[in-house]
Each structure stands twice: as C-alpha cells, then as structure tokens.
Amino acid sequence: LTVLFIGDGAPAGNYSYTNSGYSVYEEENERLTESLRTKVSAIKSLSIEIGTEVKNQNKMLSEMDNDFDSTSGLLGATVGRLKALSRGSQTKLLCYMMLFSLFVFFVIYWIIKLR
C-alpha cells in the first residue's frame, strides 16, 4: 500500500489543492492585499486633505460672517444718520435748493445779458 504525500507532508486526501495551487492563491492574496492597502492609503490621504480643506473653508466663512456683521452694523448706522438728516432738516434743505436755483437763474441771466 502506498500513501501519497503532497505539499508539506500532509496526506493528499486532507487538502483539495496542491502546494503549487496554494502558492498561487497565496501570491494572488498578497497582491490583492497590497492593492487594497494602496487604495486604503490613498483614501486616507484624500480624507485628510478634505478635512483640511473643510477647516480652511469654515475659517474663511467665519471671517466672512464677521465682516458682513461689521458691514451691516456700519450700513445700519449710516442709514440711521441719513434718516435723521432727512427728517430734521426739511426746511433747511428746501432753503438751500431755492438759493441754488436763484444762483443758477442769475448766472444764466448774466450770461445772456453779456451777449
């Protein structure tokens, strides 16, 4: 009776693949593992870059929000002053308009008279 041993001393009936098939599967497994490792490393670096970009964008948005707040405060103060100016000095403004109109009228009259 002869018993055949394949691989590293195990009987042939215990394994469904040969030693050479085992090494082929092992090599393919190592290649796929390395490919997966490369892809995971690329995804990791990409996610770190995305996180950095998000932090920069949030910082920029925060600065813009502060700028808009200060601008809206300044604009609100200016509009308030304009409202106060327009409410309080209607007669003064009307008087200045009348004086300006008279001045323009006399300048035009003087230019026509000199001709």
Side-chain angles (χ1 to χ4, degrees):
L1 207 87
T2 309
V3 177
L4 294 173
F5 291 100
I6 300 175
D8 44 346
N14 291 345
Y15 297 102
S16 63
Y17 53 88
T18 63
N19 190 23
S20 63
Y22 174 77
S23 66
V24 169
Y25 288 129
E26 188 67 27
E27 288 174 11
E28 183 179 356
N29 207 10
E30 288 295 324
R31 183 181 55 80
L32 291 173
T33 303
E34 186 60 36
S35 173
L36 184 62
R37 188 175 297 129
T38 304
K39 290 175 184 177
V40 167
S41 173
I43 289 173
K44 179 183 176 185
S45 66
L46 184 63
S47 65
I48 289 172
E49 289 177 16
I50 288 172
T52 304
E53 185 66 25
V54 166
K55 286 178 187 175
N56 289 339
Q57 293 293 327
N58 283 338
K59 181 181 174 187
M60 189 182 306
L61 284 173
S62 176
E63 290 172 359
M64 283 178 59
D65 187 39
N66 292 338
D67 290 343
F68 279 125
D69 284 344
S70 66
T71 303
S72 67
L74 181 65
L75 187 60
T78 303
V79 168
R81 283 189 216 128
L82 282 173
K83 284 182 181 179
L85 183 67
S86 68
R87 269 187 264 129
S89 60
Q90 287 288 348
T91 56
K92 222 183 219 184
L93 187 62
L94 189 59
C95 198
Y96 286 140
M97 291 291 284
M98 291 290 282
L99 286 174
F100 180 73
S101 299
L102 283 173
F103 174 75
V104 170
F105 174 73
F106 281 121
V107 167
I108 292 175
Y109 176 75
W110 182 66
I111 289 174
I112 291 175
K113 190 83 170 165
L114 289 177
R115 281 185 156 199

